[in-house]
Amino acid sequence: MVFPAALHIMAFLDAGPGRAAVIPAGHGLALLITGRSFMKLSNLPRRVPARIAAIDWDSLPPADGSRLRALGFEQGAFIETLHKGMLFWRDPIAVRIGRMTVALRTVHAQAIECEERR
């Protein structure tokens, strides 16, 4: 497929709050690339508000997955890590979801992808 030469491609990268980097991307299609940073809930720092971006339900046992759904763990929910365990495994993790505080195992928290709220 041939595209008009007048069409310029620019990729916009989010370089942080209030800043953006513009990079020429060649010929053809316009690309929009966002520089959002996602992290596992187990790696989310304490007292940092975040939004659940995705949950890997396949990595969780069905009973645990249905329990998390019943507690309100779903894509788009707002979440915050309150405390982490004391020793090596950092288990359990205390998480605020809505007005509830829930204790999660690190294994379950690793199945949840979060995005910091800005």
Side-chain angles (χ1 to χ4, degrees), residues 36-39 44 49-53 113-117:
R36 292 182 176 174
S37 62
F38 295 96
M39 67 182 81
L44 186 69
R51 183 186 63 81
I52 296 177
E113 288 281 334
C114 297
E115 174 185 21
E116 284 187 40
R117 255 191 335 186

Side-chain angles (χ1 to χ4, degrees), residues 41-112:
L41 177 58
S42 57
N43 297 332
L44 186 69
R46 289 180 46 222
R47 301 285 182 190
V48 174
R51 183 186 63 81
I52 296 177
I55 300 175
D56 183 12
W57 296 112
D58 295 333
S59 69
L60 299 171
D64 293 344
S66 65
R67 214 173 289 126
L68 289 177
R69 282 186 184 101
L71 289 170
F73 285 85
E74 59 186 26
Q75 187 174 350
F78 294 110
I79 196 165
E80 180 181 2
T81 301
L82 300 177
H83 304 284
K84 294 186 179 185
M86 293 285 295
L87 296 176
F88 306 108
W89 301 277
R90 308 291 288 169
D91 238 6
I93 299 172
V95 173
R96 177 178 294 139
I97 182 161
R99 295 183 347 184
M100 286 187 301
T101 301
V102 178
L104 283 181
R105 293 183 182 126
T106 305
V107 174
H108 296 143
Q110 289 174 345
I112 301 172

